[in-house]
Amino acid sequence: MTKPDPITTSPLAAVAFNCIQALDKLVGPVEAQFWMQRSNKYLGGITPIAAIKARRSADVMVSVRIVAMEKGIFE
């Protein structure tokens, strides 16, 4: 019996994937990946990946929405 793949079954990985997908549409794939790994002032200076690991997914999604607002997508 094989074990399930921890990446494809992890709810935290799913959150990260959803963030990257949303950002990809706003800033492109390379910038989306960089954004997830850079410190973020809206997350108290930690990276979005660290915030997701800390179970702060809602805060990360707010940060994604801020990027969208900055790009003029939402008002």
Side-chain angles (χ1 to χ4, degrees), residues 5 10 15 18 33 47 57 64 75:
D5 177 13
S10 167
V15 170
N18 290 336
Q33 300 258 338
T47 67
S57 301
V64 170
E75 299 193 18

Side-chain angles (χ1 to χ4, degrees), residues 19-34:
C19 288
I20 290 172
Q21 278 190 314
L23 288 165
D24 182 15
K25 295 172 187 170
L26 299 169
V27 296
V30 173
E31 181 61 28
Q33 300 258 338
F34 285 145

Side-chain angles (χ1 to χ4, degrees), residues 28-49:
V30 173
E31 181 61 28
Q33 300 258 338
F34 285 145
W35 186 89
M36 294 293 289
Q37 298 174 38
R38 279 195 302 251
S39 64
N40 186 302
K41 67 181 177 183
Y42 301 110
L43 298 172
I46 65 172
T47 67
I49 292 294

Side-chain angles (χ1 to χ4, degrees), residues 6 9 13 19-20 35 44-45 47 50 52-53 55 62 65 67-69:
T9 59
C19 288
I20 290 172
W35 186 89
T47 67
I52 291 169
K53 287 180 182 178
R55 309 273 188 215
V62 168
R65 188 169 178 92
V67 170
M69 288 173 30

